[in-house]
Amino acid sequence: MCVGDEIKKLRMQKGISQKELADLLLISRQTISKWELGKSVPELVYIIQLADYFNVTLDQLVGRKPQTFLQKYFGQKENGGDETMKTINTEGSNFYSSFSNDIKGLLKNGKRIAALVGIDDKEYPQGYIKYSAGTPNCVLSINENGIEIMQLGKNIGLFMNNQKELLYRFDYEEINSIELSIKKVADILGGRYVLFINLETNKDNCILKFWIDSLKPAILIWNSPKLATVNKIVSDKLASILSMNHLETIYEDIEKGLDELPYFMDNK
């Protein structure tokens, strides 16, 4: 049984409509319909919310049998133990999860960091419970005065203290370019799209690398008046999709408009 079948079964057992479930998740009814028809799969944040709402385990919701996909790719520890490194290489830099207390050090060493994006008074992906296990420990905030990189806290085991620290602040004049690209990452549902952001500044000629578990920030960054003077680097096909400015259909637009994307763990 696929995740869409399980969502439909649990929704009907609960006695609620697609519209009622969509309202609870602050998304459209059409999105629920596509999940249940198997035309798309929920982002991780919605899978967690659905499991909580239906009072089932994540394994039950996604139909995962006990095995080691996550252990195989994400279970190895760095020496020192407080960072969980995803042992996947892409674009010459290791791909890191959220569990690090040295976000700035990893960024300076060219590592790609899981992050939230704050823009237009909202944060993406939406629905994350901050400071909880597995959520990003970093926010890339785009505001009126420039771009700020903030570490949210310090991880202690599976918990995170609310201990914000400003890591970087750049005026827009200090930003050489923002590169946006869409990648596909393997997961227990078979694969999902994520956003890669490369932020190049003229301070120390550094490039800060982030991955975002949502595609919506790509549209907001591409069309933001705040970033009108900043050089934005995307492929021609992606530029045409982002210019349509369709937040609610970005995943469908990506699937239709871009060629088949390789899993970025394949180093292609």
Side-chain angles (χ1 to χ4, degrees):
M1 180 178 289
C2 71
V3 62
D5 293 332
E6 189 67 22
I7 291 171
K8 182 177 181 179
K9 183 186 79 172
L10 293 169
R11 177 180 60 77
M12 295 181 72
Q13 288 175 352
K14 197 87 168 176
I16 63 172
S17 66
Q18 289 183 342
K19 179 66 166 58
E20 289 171 319
L21 181 57
D23 289 344
L24 288 170
L25 297 175
L26 302 179
I27 57 178
S28 68
R29 185 202 63 78
Q30 289 79 3
T31 298
I32 301 293
S33 176
K34 288 176 181 178
W35 292 348
E36 294 186 355
L37 292 172
K39 294 182 178 180
S40 64
V41 295
E43 297 177 50
L44 180 59
V45 61
Y46 294 126
I47 291 174
I48 294 171
Q49 291 177 339
L50 287 165
D52 288 344
Y53 176 70
F54 290 125
N55 195 27
V56 298
T57 66
L58 294 176
D59 283 352
Q60 181 180 340
L61 183 62
V62 303
R64 178 177 181 262
K65 297 180 180 177
Q67 201 333 60
T68 78
F69 180 90
L70 296 179
Q71 294 173 346
K72 179 178 178 182
Y73 287 109
F74 305 126
Q76 298 186 20
K77 299 279 186 177
E78 259 198 325
N79 292 335
D82 76 335
E83 291 140 13
T84 300
M85 183 176 76
K86 299 177 179 178
T87 54
I88 298 170
N89 289 320
T90 174
E91 300 176 355
S93 65
N94 289 318
F95 184 71
Y96 275 75
S97 74
S98 311
F99 282 85
S100 173
N101 289 328
D102 185 22
I103 297 295
K104 189 170 186 177
L106 295 176
L107 285 170
K108 288 177 68 174
N109 287 323
K111 311 305 181 185
R112 190 172 296 281
I113 297 298
L116 303 173
V117 171
I119 185 170
D120 296 337
D121 299 320
K122 293 183 180 179
E123 285 184 346
Y124 299 88
Q126 293 179 304
Y128 266 121
I129 302 174
K130 284 187 186 178
Y131 315 110
S132 60
T135 58
N137 191 11
C138 181
V139 175
L140 190 161
S141 178
I142 299 169
N143 53 53
E144 294 295 334
N145 300 315
I147 293 180
E148 296 178 341
I149 316 298
M150 183 82 68
Q151 181 166 325
L152 291 175
K154 297 290 185 181
N155 286 297
I156 303 174
L158 293 178
F159 302 95
M160 187 193 300
N161 290 335
N162 182 347
Q163 190 175 336
K164 290 184 179 179
E165 178 185 355
L166 180 63
L167 305 179
Y168 295 97
R169 188 190 178 286
F170 304 107
D171 295 330
Y172 290 121
E173 294 77 13
E174 296 174 313
I175 299 170
N176 291 336
S177 66
I178 297 177
E179 181 178 4
L180 307 173
S181 58
I182 307 299
K183 305 291 183 179
K184 195 171 186 180
V185 57
D187 63 11
I188 56 178
L189 299 177
R192 70 183 191 278
Y193 297 117
V194 295
L195 171 64
F196 276 20
I197 299 177
N198 291 351
L199 180 66
E200 182 179 0
T201 76
N202 55 32
K203 283 187 175 180
D204 301 323
N205 294 318
C206 69
I207 299 178
L208 305 179
K209 300 178 180 181
F210 306 91
W211 70 272
I212 318 299
D213 201 3
S214 174
L215 303 187
K216 292 181 179 180
I219 288 182
L220 298 171
I221 291 171
W222 181 255
N223 295 288
S224 174
K226 301 182 185 73
L227 297 166
T229 61
V230 175
N231 179 32
K232 293 180 282 291
I233 302 172
V234 299
S235 69
D236 290 341
K237 286 186 177 180
L238 182 55
S240 65
I241 293 171
L242 299 180
S243 297
M244 293 190 294
N245 205 10
H246 294 161
L247 275 179
E248 294 305 319
T249 61
I250 177 63
Y251 291 89
E252 291 86 349
D253 294 338
I254 290 294
E255 288 184 345
K256 294 176 183 176
L258 296 184
D259 296 331
E260 182 66 22
L261 292 169
Y263 292 104
F264 65 81
M265 67 172 60
D266 294 335
N267 246 346
K268 295 180 181 178

